[in-house]
Amino acid sequence: MSQPLLSIIIPTHNRPHLVNYAVKSALEQTMEDLEVIVVDDASTQPIDLPSHPKLRIIRLSQPHGGAGTRNVGLEAAFGRWVTFLDDDDRLLPQMAEVSLEGLSQTSLPAPVAVISGIETVNSQGEILSQRLPPPVRLRGAHFFLEELEPGKSYNTKQTLVVEREVLQKIGGWDNDMRSRVHSELFLRLNPACSIIGLPIVTYHLYNHEGLRVSRNPMLRQESFLRLVHKHQALFHAHRQMFAKFVYEHARKCYELGLNREAFYNLCWAMQIDPLHIFPLVSARFYPAKIKLF
């Protein structure tokens, strides 16, 4: 295969009923100068996909995990730019084209990466929610630890399009992270690379009842603690956002039924920045009209 402009890397494990749709969305991009690499992370049954001149399949005999599987695809990629698609999600047809167009129009000095918007959809294709990224995080910033603009979300990191060499220079994905892999990556990427956000939806996150790493409660807690420990200096340098990050994790623990972990993380967030977290807790558990101060 000649060297394409973009490599779309799809890690997959035991989701033959979903990965076909992900691959189809990658191959149906309006931009043609690309390749699609599917990395099968030792699925019980090897995936069976129709042959296509732009499609490559890499079959791993031993499990590598989500981060390790992405790294295999990264090393195999030929494109100048790379992006990663979860096997249970889908790209909108213009994702590659608008991302690379946004990169070509920026006046920021290289290196620059791009992210865009995400819609969560159900099995009927109905849109459940929409998230749009912040407009820019200059090189040297720390992405989700910076104050967030109103109406924007840091939870569109799956749409990342970045130069392959930039990702390789920062060490790729952290193989020790089993959850929170995007959050960990962005804390290393942003200091080395500006990140621009496009106010357009390019990615559909499929809301289904199947297994998701992000829904594994114990794995989330373990990976959360690993993330904070690895980057503790950065977190402590952004105390208010650190406290909010821990608080949001506590809320998610509560939703997943991890009451002990939720209480622990709530107390932790209060300890980090009580003046910032107490109003958040009050707003959640008291009627909005009650004035506490």
Side-chain angles (χ1 to χ4, degrees):
M1 179 181 290
S2 59
Q3 194 161 9
L5 187 58
L6 175 69
S7 297
I8 302 175
I9 299 165
I10 307 175
T12 187
H13 176 73
N14 285 342
R15 280 175 171 162
H17 59 298
L18 291 174
V19 70
N20 284 277
Y21 294 103
V23 172
K24 185 173 184 290
S25 75
L27 291 172
E28 290 181 347
Q29 291 296 295
T30 56
M31 190 193 83
E32 296 189 359
D33 191 8
L34 57 80
E35 65 173 351
V36 178
I37 303 172
V38 177
V39 186
D40 183 1
D41 191 25
S43 296
T44 305
Q45 295 293 326
I47 59 172
D48 183 19
L49 295 169
S51 61
H52 191 283
K54 295 181 181 178
L55 175 63
R56 283 192 284 152
I57 301 174
I58 301 172
R59 162 78 175 173
L60 302 180
S61 59
Q62 297 294 326
H64 284 54
T69 305
R70 287 177 174 87
N71 281 331
V72 170
L74 178 63
E75 291 303 314
F78 292 131
R80 174 187 172 188
W81 301 90
V82 294
T83 190
F84 298 83
L85 171 62
D86 288 350
D87 62 355
D88 52 350
D89 295 334
R90 298 164 197 178
L91 301 180
L92 297 187
Q94 79 281 14
M95 190 274 186
E97 185 175 354
V98 300
S99 297
L100 292 175
E101 182 180 358
L103 287 164
S104 70
Q105 293 179 354
T106 184
S107 59
L108 293 175
V112 181
V114 65
I115 54 176
S116 44
I118 284 179
E119 287 175 341
T120 302
V121 299
N122 62 19
S123 57
Q124 287 75 45
E126 299 169 329
I127 298 172
L128 305 178
S129 64
Q130 183 185 97
R131 304 192 292 262
L132 295 176
V136 65
R137 290 294 178 267
L138 295 176
R139 181 179 183 179
H142 299 101
F143 199 66
F144 64 85
L145 293 179
E146 310 291 344
E147 193 66 34
L148 184 62
E149 294 84 350
K152 304 300 182 182
S153 172
Y154 281 129
N155 295 320
T156 72
K157 296 184 285 292
Q158 297 99 316
T159 63
L160 175 68
V161 177
V162 62
E163 284 182 286
R164 173 169 49 91
E165 290 186 356
V166 170
L167 207 52
Q168 289 172 328
K169 283 180 180 178
I170 67 167
W173 302 83
D174 184 341
N175 291 334
D176 292 330
M177 298 292 297
R178 299 182 62 196
S179 180
R180 301 279 187 173
V181 293
H182 290 88
S183 296
E184 195 287 321
L185 179 75
F186 272 63
L187 285 182
R188 289 183 288 116
L189 177 63
N190 202 182
C193 175
S194 294
I195 301 171
I196 58 174
L198 304 179
I200 182 172
V201 173
T202 66
Y203 192 108
H204 272 177
L205 192 153
Y206 179 39
N207 186 25
H208 60 87
E209 296 303 318
L211 294 175
R212 275 186 183 270
V213 171
S214 60
R215 289 190 187 138
N216 184 316
M218 299 310 297
L219 193 57
R220 281 184 61 88
Q221 178 68 2
E222 173 192 323
S223 297
F224 180 81
L225 294 175
R226 183 185 293 274
L227 171 66
V228 172
H229 177 73
K230 179 175 180 178
H231 296 284
Q232 56 183 313
L234 287 181
F235 281 106
H236 285 291
H238 298 78
R239 185 164 295 275
Q240 188 175 100
M241 290 301 290
F242 179 24
K244 187 176 180 181
F245 187 62
V246 176
Y247 170 72
E248 293 298 334
H249 178 65
R251 287 185 57 183
K252 188 64 177 180
C253 286
Y254 181 75
E255 292 172 6
L256 294 171
L258 292 176
N259 294 334
R260 184 177 64 179
E261 288 78 6
F263 180 72
Y264 168 81
N265 287 298
L266 178 58
C267 292
W268 186 11
M270 290 286 288
Q271 183 181 31
I272 297 168
D273 192 341
L275 292 178
H276 181 64
I277 297 302
F278 185 72
L280 296 178
V281 177
S282 300
R284 181 170 175 81
F285 291 103
Y286 291 88
K289 293 182 180 180
I290 296 179
K291 298 288 187 180
L292 295 179
F293 300 100

